[in-house]
Amino acid sequence: MNIILNGSSREVPDNLTAGGLIFELGLTNTRLALEVNQQIVPRSTFETHHIKPDDKVEIVQAIGGG
Amino acid sequence: MSTVMHSQQRPSTDPLVIAGTEYHSRLLVGTGKYRDLEETRAATEASGAEIVTVAIRRTNIGQNPDEPNLLDVISPDHYTLLPNTAGCYTAEDAVRTCRLARELLDGHDLVKLEVLGDETTLFPDIVQTIKATETLVKDGFKIMVYTNDDPIIAKHFEDMGCVAVMPLAAPIGSGLGIRNPYNILTIVENASVPILVDAGVGTASDAAIAMELGCDGVLMNTAIAGARDPLLMASAMKKAIEAGRDAFRAGRIPRKRYASASSPIDGTFF
C-alpha cells in the first residue's frame, strides 16, 4: 500500500502496524513521536495501531533549536 | 592570620521557580545553530543551564539510524528539555507541535510557545499565540510564552495561566540587546509569574542588564552559538546572569547628577 510519510509518498507492506513501520525504517531505538492523519499514536499502542492506505504519517524527533 | 576566600557555590536560597520546580541557573539556552553536536554539548555544559530548548522536526527518513541524536548529548535525564514551537505561524501548528513534543518526551508538559507573525522580524503573532495558549492551557500544558515587550499583553498571558512570560529584548537572532528596558521593567513589576527575556541578547552586558532590571532569567541561543568562541561566550553569559542577579538583589545606588566623594572630608591635614 501507499502512504504519505513525512510528506513523501512511500510503498509499505499491507497490514503494517505503527510499530512495524518504525521497525521497517530502522528507527526502533530512536526517540520519536508519530502522528497519523494529525492524530498522535501513543507509543503504547504502536503494536496495535494499523496503518491504512493513504494515511498521512509524520515521524518527528527533537533537534537543535532556540 | 590570613583567610583564603574560596569561590563559593551559588546559594540555593535564590532559586528560579517555574511551575513549582526549582532551578539554580537563571540562564536558559537553545541548542540551534551549533557546528555539531559536540559543540552543542560543550557549550550547553559551559553555560550551566538546566533548562534547554529543542525544536521538533521531521525525522530524516533517509539518514543512517545510528547517526547521533541531539538527545544523546542533551539527555532528558540531565536537563529539563523545553520543546519549542519555533517555525509555527498558526495556533493550530503550535498546538500540534506541543502535543507531539509531549508524546516524544513521555508526557513532559513544559513547553515554550512561540507563534511567529512574519519572517523578516520573527515578531510574535499575539492573536495566534493567545489562541494557542487557550487550547494548550485546557490541555494541561505548562506554557512559557514568547511575547512582545508589551506589559498589557504580558499580564494577559499570566492571567490566562502561562507559567512564565518571556518578552523579547529585540528580534530573534538580532543581538540588538534590550531595546525597551522601561517596558521590561514594567512587565517585571506587574508580574507574579517568572519573567524571562527571550531573544535579542547579543553579549554578556545585555544579559546582565536584563537581570538588573529584575528579570527572573534569560533565554538565549544565537548569542552563544553564533559567537566566535561559543564555549567562552557560554561561560561569559553564565557569569553575566549571576552578576546581574546579584546586583539586582543587592540594590543599586540611585543615579545622581553630581559627584559624591568616597573618602571622608573629616581628618584631612591639608
Side-chain angles (χ1 to χ4, degrees):
Chain A
M1 64 179 171
N2 193 72
I3 62 169
I4 307 295
L5 175 63
N6 283 5
S8 302
S9 178
R10 190 181 182 100
E11 267 302 303
V12 294
D14 290 348
N15 293 319
L16 193 65
T17 61
L21 175 64
I22 299 295
F23 179 78
E24 210 35 41
L25 298 170
L27 296 172
T28 306
N29 294 316
T30 309
R31 193 187 269 267
L32 49 79
L34 188 145
E35 202 186 50
V36 176
N37 302 329
Q38 299 208 14
Q39 292 297 313
I40 285 174
V41 178
R43 212 164 306 150
S44 57
T45 67
F46 273 8
E47 298 313 322
T48 52
H49 185 101
H50 285 266
I51 305 290
K52 294 187 294 298
D54 300 323
D55 270 353
K56 288 190 174 62
V57 179
E58 293 288 344
I59 298 176
V60 301
Q61 66 183 49
I63 65 154
Chain B
M1 196 177 89
S2 72
T3 3
V4 180
M5 287 288 286
H6 291 282
S7 68
Q8 292 176 332
Q9 287 284 315
R10 299 280 305 161
S12 57
T13 50
D14 180 36
L16 166 63
V17 181
I18 297 174
T21 303
E22 285 191 4
Y23 301 94
H24 300 285
S25 168
R26 291 173 178 273
L27 173 57
L28 288 68
V29 296
T31 51
K33 298 186 179 172
Y34 285 105
R35 220 174 325 151
D36 51 34
L37 287 178
E38 173 50 27
E39 191 180 72
T40 312
R41 184 202 63 73
T44 306
E45 196 176 303
S47 77
E50 294 165 281
I51 302 178
V52 177
T53 65
V54 299
I56 307 297
R57 290 291 181 270
R58 279 176 171 162
T59 297
N60 183 356
I61 299 297
Q63 88 181 3
N64 173 6
D66 296 328
E67 205 168 288
N69 187 294
L70 176 68
L71 300 189
D72 296 336
V73 295
I74 305 294
S75 164
D77 300 331
H78 292 103
Y79 294 100
T80 296
L81 294 188
L82 184 64
N84 70 24
T85 62
C88 292
Y89 285 82
T90 65
E92 290 73 23
D93 286 348
V95 168
R96 199 175 155 200
T97 302
C98 288
R99 288 178 176 154
L100 279 165
R102 183 166 61 183
E103 171 61 19
L104 180 73
L105 298 173
D106 302 321
H108 172 83
D109 52 13
L110 186 71
V111 292
K112 170 182 160 179
L113 174 63
E114 81 178 64
V115 189
L116 303 173
D118 132 343
E119 284 174 29
T120 307
T121 63
L122 297 180
F123 278 143
D125 183 324
I126 299 301
V127 174
Q128 292 296 315
T129 309
I130 288 174
K131 274 179 68 179
T133 300
E134 283 168 348
T135 307
L136 292 169
V137 165
K138 278 189 207 137
D139 211 357
F141 282 95
K142 300 183 181 103
I143 304 164
M144 300 178 70
V145 64
Y146 168 65
T147 183
N148 279 322
D149 55 6
D150 177 336
I152 308 302
I153 293 294
K155 196 65 189 168
H156 277 304
F157 281 121
E158 179 183 325
D159 292 342
M160 290 177 75
C162 292
V163 299
V165 177
M166 305 199 292
L168 52 81
I172 294 171
S174 70
L176 289 173
I178 298 183
R179 295 291 80 206
N180 206 339
Y182 294 100
N183 273 24
I184 298 292
L185 187 60
T186 305
I187 291 170
V188 167
E189 285 172 351
N190 290 344
S192 42
V193 295
I195 301 297
L196 294 91
V197 156
D198 177 8
V201 166
T203 187
S205 54
D206 297 333
I209 289 169
M211 298 309 292
E212 288 171 6
L213 287 168
C215 288
D216 297 280
V218 178
L219 197 167
M220 65 180 77
N221 190 155
T222 311
I224 297 174
R228 194 172 59 242
D229 184 339
L231 269 65
L232 192 56
M233 188 58 90
S235 159
M237 290 298 186
K238 178 182 188 218
K239 292 174 198 159
I241 295 281
E242 289 175 2
R245 178 66 183 175
D246 285 353
F248 169 72
R249 294 178 74 210
R252 60 152 299 144
I253 59 163
R255 290 173 175 85
K256 281 186 287 194
R257 184 167 173 199
Y258 293 113
S260 157
S262 299
S263 303
I265 302 300
D266 287 353
T268 45
F269 52 88
F270 37 75

